[in-house]
């Protein structure tokens, strides 16, 4: 691995914290360097100093920041992940939305390669309570690379590790060594690139009935987690829901939401509307 001076390490980790809210203390120096070294190798840099200059000044810097975000978090995802939450959505929460309006808008806010938003679309259509015209799903991620995959809608076995075969048969078509998502599901989802730390853009995406922000807060430091979940409050309808990953929680973070504890899943409901 390339040598890094203490000064270069501090500059890079501060830039990363400012941009993504991901904090690497001295103990995580090796972890950060191993992830950065992949990016340096991909771009052909031989010094950290040159890489920092690229991140700061090069005209292609946004593209690199996006790839760096992916390298630092990881894009691990699969269809019907944390199914208990999806069941709660289909069984009860959807009824609350439908009482309020005949149109339902959901947001998968760190959607990776698309398995999460497509799972939401399949789950809701499967209930029979909602038609295609009543549902729209926004799906965003900071990484353009995963968004390209999401838009292709082509998946291999690993993405289906928690998918019932009947669902694959119904909603996918075999293609080469994998499956492509049916157009009926694809049409319900619109993808875009968005950094969750950009609070104004987050607020402007709303209003949503529910926001899914699963398995990404764990990479942020506490102040950033707080900032992100509080900005979601401005993108949710009154009484809207926030879904987090099972290792994530709002405990000691914010009191804008109340936890709704079900038999297998915890979800959060916005207490009152927050002005945008
Ligand atoms: C582990 S995946 C989670 C995917 C999906 N939500 C799930 O639970 O299966 C984390 C995703 O968060 C994205 N991400 C990381 N930082 C982000 C940020 N600041 N804004 C938006 N997305 C971000 C990564 O690019 C990655 O695709």
């Amino acid at each position: 691995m390339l040598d890094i001076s203490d000064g270069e390490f501090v500059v890079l980790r501060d830039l990363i914290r400012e941009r993504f809210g991901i904090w690497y203390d001295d103990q995580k120096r090796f972890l950060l360097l191993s992830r950065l070294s992949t990016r340096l190798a991909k771009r052909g840099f031989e010094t950290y100093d040159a890489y920092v200059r690229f991140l700061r000044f090069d005209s292609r810097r946004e593209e690199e920041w996006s790839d760096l975000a992916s390298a630092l978090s990881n894009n691990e995802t699969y269809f019907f992940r944390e199914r208990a939450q999806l069941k709660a959505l289909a069984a009860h929460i959807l009824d609350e939305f439908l009482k309020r309006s005949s149109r339902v808008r959901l947001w998968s806010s760190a959607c990776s390669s698309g398995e999460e938003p497509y799972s939401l679309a399949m789950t809701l259509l499967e209930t029979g309570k909602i038609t295609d015209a009543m549902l729209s799903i926004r799906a965003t991620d900071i990484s353009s690379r995963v968004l390209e995959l999401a838009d292709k809608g082509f998946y291999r076995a690993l993405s289906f590790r928690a998918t019932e075969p009947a669902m694959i048969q119904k909603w996918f078509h075999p293609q080469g060594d994998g499956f492509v998502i049916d157009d009926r599901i694809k049409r319900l989802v619109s993808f875009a690139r968005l950094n969750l730390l950009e609070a104004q853009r987050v607020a402007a995406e709303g209003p949503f009935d529910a926001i899914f922000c699963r398995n990404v807060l764990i990479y942020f430091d506490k102040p950033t987690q707080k900032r992100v979940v509080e900005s979601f409050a401005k993108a949710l309808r009154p009484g809207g829901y926030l879904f987090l990953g099972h290792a994530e929680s709002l405990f000691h973070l914010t009191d804008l939401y109340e936890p709704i504890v079900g038999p297998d899943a915890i979800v959060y409901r916005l207490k009152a509307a927050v002005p945008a």
Side-chain angles (χ1 to χ4, degrees):
M1 206 161 13
L2 273 179
D3 260 1
I4 188 169
S5 69
D6 288 347
E8 286 166 344
F9 176 73
V10 168
V11 167
L12 260 168
R13 83 166 169 195
D14 286 354
L15 279 175
I16 286 166
R17 181 185 216 174
E18 192 183 305
R19 200 35 117 102
F20 306 131
I22 306 176
W23 175 238
Y24 291 88
D25 58 21
D26 289 337
Q27 273 91 51
K28 291 198 190 138
R29 182 182 173 119
F30 185 79
L31 175 69
L32 175 58
L33 293 187
S34 72
R35 293 187 167 166
L36 283 172
S37 63
T38 327
R39 293 306 316 150
L40 264 75
K42 280 241 161 78
R43 289 275 179 190
F45 288 114
E46 287 177 4
T47 65
Y48 280 97
D49 185 48
Y51 185 61
V52 167
R53 271 187 278 120
F54 185 87
L55 282 176
R56 281 191 158 144
F57 306 119
D58 197 275
S59 60
R60 290 157 296 162
R61 63 186 181 278
E62 283 309 318
E63 193 189 307
E64 179 54 26
W65 275 114
S66 153
D67 290 340
L68 182 56
S70 298
L72 295 180
S73 50
N74 100 41
N75 308 115
E76 166 72 3
T77 187
Y78 50 92
F79 287 106
F80 301 104
R81 186 175 193 177
E82 297 182 36
R83 186 183 288 272
Q85 289 185 341
L86 303 182
K87 279 192 176 156
L89 173 70
H92 321 289
I93 300 171
L94 174 62
D95 300 336
E96 277 181 44
F97 299 159
L98 292 174
K99 268 187 213 143
R100 195 159 49 208
S101 159
S102 60
R103 289 202 49 83
V104 173
R105 274 194 91 213
L106 306 180
W107 182 16
S108 167
S109 68
C111 67
S112 189
S113 35
E115 287 89 331
E116 182 176 273
Y118 290 142
S119 300
L120 295 175
M122 290 184 274
T123 301
L124 292 198
L125 288 190
E126 283 287 326
T127 64
K129 300 175 190 170
I130 189 166
T131 62
D132 306 41
M134 295 160 72
L135 176 62
S136 63
I137 298 173
R138 184 66 160 160
T140 60
D141 198 283
I142 198 169
S143 157
S144 352
R145 189 182 57 79
V146 290
L147 289 168
E148 275 166 30
L149 296 175
D151 195 49
K152 282 196 182 110
F154 171 79
Y155 299 96
R156 295 195 175 82
L158 219 52
S159 291
F160 296 106
R161 71 191 91 154
T163 310
E164 289 160 14
M167 293 296 274
I168 304 181
Q169 262 208 314
K170 182 164 175 186
W171 296 112
F172 293 85
H173 308 285
Q175 192 180 91
D177 58 350
F179 294 87
V180 67
I181 190 100
D182 190 87
D183 261 350
R184 186 173 161 206
I185 297 297
K186 195 152 190 258
R187 272 198 297 269
L188 298 175
V189 183
S190 71
F191 292 100
R193 186 168 169 254
L194 185 144
N195 181 351
L196 289 171
L197 269 60
E198 293 174 39
Q200 280 182 343
R201 281 204 57 202
V202 166
E205 285 288 329
F208 293 102
D209 296 289
I211 299 175
F212 284 73
C213 182
R214 304 194 300 173
N215 305 300
V216 59
L217 287 184
I218 34 169
Y219 299 104
F220 300 159
D221 57 18
K222 287 268 175 217
T224 309
Q225 293 181 357
K226 184 176 168 63
R227 234 169 84 197
V228 170
V229 298
E230 295 195 342
S231 70
F232 283 152
K234 298 185 177 173
L236 276 171
R237 295 212 164 94
Y241 281 78
L242 177 59
F243 291 74
L244 304 180
H246 72 268
E248 298 157 332
S249 116
L250 296 186
F251 191 60
H252 282 171
L253 208 61
T254 175
D255 54 10
L256 289 178
Y257 303 83
E258 60 174 321
I260 312 284
V261 183
D264 303 306
I266 300 180
V267 299
Y268 295 89
R269 184 161 55 200
L270 185 64
K271 286 181 184 164
V274 175

